[in-house]
Amino acid sequence: IGIDISQAVSPRDGIGNYASQLTRALMATSSPHDFSLHALSRPLGADEVKRQFPRMPPNFRLQLDSNQLDSTLDIFHSPSWVYPQGAIGRVVTTCHDVTFLSHPEFHVPSNKARCTKGMLEALLDDAHFLCVSQHTRAELGRRLGVPAQRTSVIYEGAGDVFRPRDRRRARLRLRRTLGIEGDYLLTIGRLEPRKNLVRLLHAYDGLPEDLRARTSLLFAGPEGGRNEDMHSYLAERHSAGTVKLLGFVAEDTQADLY
């Protein structure tokens, strides 16, 4: 079983977290199958992969030097729209959404091209689609004509780090690492227009002034593309300290924030 882990190595976005957590979970299952880890969309070194997966079982091997798949694979899983070249066996690809088709104005051209290319290759090559929601499954059928028998809905879980924590200790760590004190509203994810973040800012502005004064709005996630409207809004409406852009936040700190 081959797995593309291109995006699973830090700094990760949502799809990278999905790939990382799925691979970790497979490593913990004592599976009788053999796995090979590939890097289809960006070069990865063996050392950085081993830092990400320090307890790699003997039935997992690294094959990072080529995006060409070999004939020993029975099945290959792509957690994103990067489709493998030279696929021999069955390919499974995860579809998180099709907003590059439903809302193309929110995507930069390079991302639209990448997603469309991978989607067409998967569609033409009879791949099976794992969908993260019933809505995504319906969108695949409605927009692309993917038959229901080529789709499965598998909901996403949470990593082991996301468990209840001691609130006092978490707040102390956040004060030390991020300078966060007091109450806050939180959104986690890559900053992109399709996340409707300007609408979130409008809603926050609609709160009573005294509530905003004691409740920050935190954005935890790396910059995406086409955020000019968001940054213009922030520059015109908000003083420093009320809204905080934290940038990429490591997984353990995300758990403290939650």
Side-chain angles (χ1 to χ4, degrees), residues 161-162 165 173 249-257:
V161 70
F162 296 105
R165 295 184 166 198
R173 285 191 295 267
V249 173
E251 196 173 72
D252 193 58
T253 304
Q254 287 182 31
D256 279 339
L257 285 166

Side-chain angles (χ1 to χ4, degrees), residues 3 218 221:
I3 306 172
L218 308 182

